């Protein structure tokens, strides 16, 4: 039996334990493809899975982490209908339809998708299984590390900006949190034509990065003159769209208070904490909205692959470092402690 290294989270222990260990190389079943992993992103969601603040929808004893994955097709299972062949370069959608809810049974977009590396085994491994409908081809010109982070790190803020937030050219946009998601939110908002793009982060390094990524203004949320600075930057009108990529209740209160009439607050950062609006009358009078956001759709990943492959979106600055798969625990610690203020760390088998 062939074995491989895999970063496994053991869910049945208290507390949960994470370790890189030897496991059998999976065998692709009907409609599945075995992918040789070349790059896998480390996301804050992985940190939250390990610390227990994020729970999978489907509990099991252990799961291989990693929902940002790129590599090459190694072998095909039976009944693979697509025109896939060994050696094909691919990135993997961060999740797949559940196959059993009413939407799936009626062949509509699934509202209860399962997440790779959360609800089933992911790509922190030398090999990963993928259902063939979750494969996205990538061109030779797109490096594996950049392709790997498109699902989630780039596609989640992309979908939040262009779909949930419906940002249009010349709209004033605020982005709270300039980390792995928010930094890309700044880039996408600028690419969508937002003006100005205002980044908000308590860390000076993150604010500097946001400016390098295309923000027009970068503000400290603790600055007593914060609201006045937003008003000045937007010509007095406030924000047409505000995006919370931090998942912090205080962020939502602050963002709601600087919305323009008719402005929307998009909740892309996840938190189990209650959502409150201090001045509900003002919020209603100004016809503001709060919209929840989660993940992205398959077409968003495909669109971003095209944008990156044609040079419209350069993701090279998003890759902070490459880390051997065997040192995955060190990468998790670096992200959790913000050592070096990383955007995306990439595990390399």
């Amino acid at each position: 039996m062939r074995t491989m290294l895999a970063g496994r989270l053991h869910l049945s222990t208290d507390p949960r334990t994470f370790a890189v260990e030897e496991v059998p190389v999976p065998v692709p079943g009907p409609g599945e493809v075995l992918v040789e992993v070349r790059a896998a992103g480390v996301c804050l969601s992985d940190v939250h899975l390990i610390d227990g603040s994020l729970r999978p929808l489907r509990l099991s004893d252990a799961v291989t982490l990693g929902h940002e994955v790129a590599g090459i097709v190694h072998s095909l299972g039976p009944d693979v209908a697509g025109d896939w062949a060994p050696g094909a370069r691919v990135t993997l959608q961060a999740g797949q339809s559940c196959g059993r809810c009413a939407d799936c049974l009626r062949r509509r977009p699934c509202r209860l998708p399962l997440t790779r590396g959360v609800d089933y085994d992911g790509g922190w491994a030398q090999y990963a299984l993928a259902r063939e409908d979750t494969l996205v081809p990538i061109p030779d010109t797109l490096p594996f590390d950049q392709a790997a982070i498109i699902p989630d790190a780039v596609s989640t803020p992309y979908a939040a900006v262009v779909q949930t937030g419906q940002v249009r050219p010349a709209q004033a946009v605020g982005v709270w949190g300039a980390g792995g998601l928010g930094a890309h939110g700044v880039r996408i908002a600028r690419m969508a034509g937002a003006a100005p793009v205002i980044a908000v982060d308590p860390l000076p390094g993150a604010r500097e990065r946001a400016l390098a990524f295309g923000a027009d203004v970068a503000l400290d949320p603790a600055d007593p003159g914060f609201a006045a600075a937003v008003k000045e930057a937007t010509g007095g009108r406030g924000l047409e769209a505000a995006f919370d990529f931090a998942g912090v209740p205080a962020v939502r209160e602050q963002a709601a208070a600087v919305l323009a009439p008719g402005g929307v607050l998009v909740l892309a950062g996840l938190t189990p904490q209650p959502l409150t609006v201090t001045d509900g009358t003002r919020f209603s009078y100004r016809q503001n909205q709060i919209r929840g956001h989660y993940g992205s759709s398959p077409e968003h990943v495909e669109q971003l692959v095209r944008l990156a492959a044609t040079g419209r979106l350069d993701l090279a600055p998003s890759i902070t470092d490459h880390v051997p798969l065997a040192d995955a625990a060190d990468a998790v610690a670096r992200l959790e402690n913000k050592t070096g203020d990383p955007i995306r760390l990439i595990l390399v088998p």
Side-chain angles (χ1 to χ4, degrees), residues 48 93 96 102 104 133 135 170 215 248 257 330:
H48 292 327
Q93 297 283 0
Q96 62 188 36
C104 285
D133 62 333
L135 300 179
V248 177
D330 292 337

Side-chain angles (χ1 to χ4, degrees), residues 21 50 74 85 93 130 135 144 155 236 255 278 295 301 317 322 332 334 339:
E21 53 197 36
I50 293 172
H74 179 272
Q93 297 283 0
L135 300 179
F144 286 113
S155 66
T278 299
V301 173
H322 299 83
V332 169
R334 285 173 62 179
T339 305

Side-chain angles (χ1 to χ4, degrees), residues 5 53 128 180 349:
L5 286 180
S53 58

Side-chain angles (χ1 to χ4, degrees), residues 46-340:
D46 300 310
V47 175
H48 292 327
L49 278 166
I50 293 172
D51 69 22
S53 58
L54 181 62
R55 294 177 58 83
L57 292 176
R58 293 188 177 182
L59 292 176
S60 58
D61 289 338
V63 65
T64 299
L65 297 181
H67 54 273
E68 298 179 350
V69 190
I72 61 173
V73 172
H74 179 272
S75 56
L76 309 178
D79 303 325
V80 171
D83 188 22
W84 300 104
R89 304 174 84 254
V90 296
T91 190
L92 308 183
Q93 297 283 0
Q96 62 188 36
S97 58
C98 70
R100 61 177 62 184
C101 69
D103 290 318
C104 285
L105 296 176
R106 295 174 185 174
R107 297 186 179 181
R108 299 185 304 198
C110 180
R111 298 184 185 182
L112 298 170
L114 303 177
T115 303
R116 187 183 308 278
V118 179
D119 303 305
Y120 61 101
D121 285 341
W124 285 13
Q126 292 174 287
Y127 296 91
L129 282 182
R131 213 168 65 188
E132 68 166 320
D133 62 333
T134 66
L135 300 179
V136 180
I138 58 174
D140 294 340
T141 54
L142 184 59
F144 286 113
D145 53 2
Q146 296 178 39
I149 69 169
I150 287 177
D152 192 29
V154 189
S155 66
T156 292
Y158 177 81
V161 170
V162 303
Q163 180 171 290
T164 304
Q166 299 179 345
V167 170
R168 298 293 181 264
Q171 287 188 326
V173 166
V175 174
W176 272 255
L181 292 180
H184 294 114
V186 166
R187 296 193 68 181
I188 298 302
R190 185 180 182 91
M191 191 168 66
V197 177
I198 301 173
V200 185
D201 199 291
L203 299 178
R207 294 197 295 272
E208 291 175 9
R209 177 173 62 216
L211 291 171
F213 270 48
D216 298 292
V217 180
L219 302 176
D220 183 345
D223 187 337
F226 174 82
V230 172
K231 187 174 182 179
E232 179 182 359
T234 61
R237 68 185 189 275
L239 300 173
E240 273 89 10
F243 296 87
D244 169 23
F245 288 108
V248 177
V251 162
R252 299 171 175 195
E253 289 275 4
Q254 186 177 55
V258 292
L259 289 176
V264 301
L265 169 59
V266 177
L267 310 181
L270 303 180
T271 175
Q273 298 300 314
L275 171 64
T276 59
V277 175
T278 299
D279 191 342
T281 299
R282 179 180 183 274
F283 193 86
S284 295
Y285 177 74
R286 294 166 70 86
Q287 299 183 50
N288 293 134
Q289 297 181 37
I290 297 174
R291 299 176 185 170
H293 179 82
Y294 186 83
S296 61
S297 298
E299 63 268 21
H300 296 134
V301 173
E302 295 162 4
Q303 291 165 8
L304 285 163
V305 167
R306 291 198 295 273
L307 289 168
T310 56
R312 298 294 194 275
L313 183 62
D314 179 14
L315 296 176
S318 301
I319 309 302
T320 304
D321 198 5
H322 299 83
V323 180
L325 173 61
D327 298 329
D330 292 337
V332 169
R334 285 173 62 179
L335 182 60
E336 183 176 20
N337 298 319
K338 298 185 178 180
T339 305

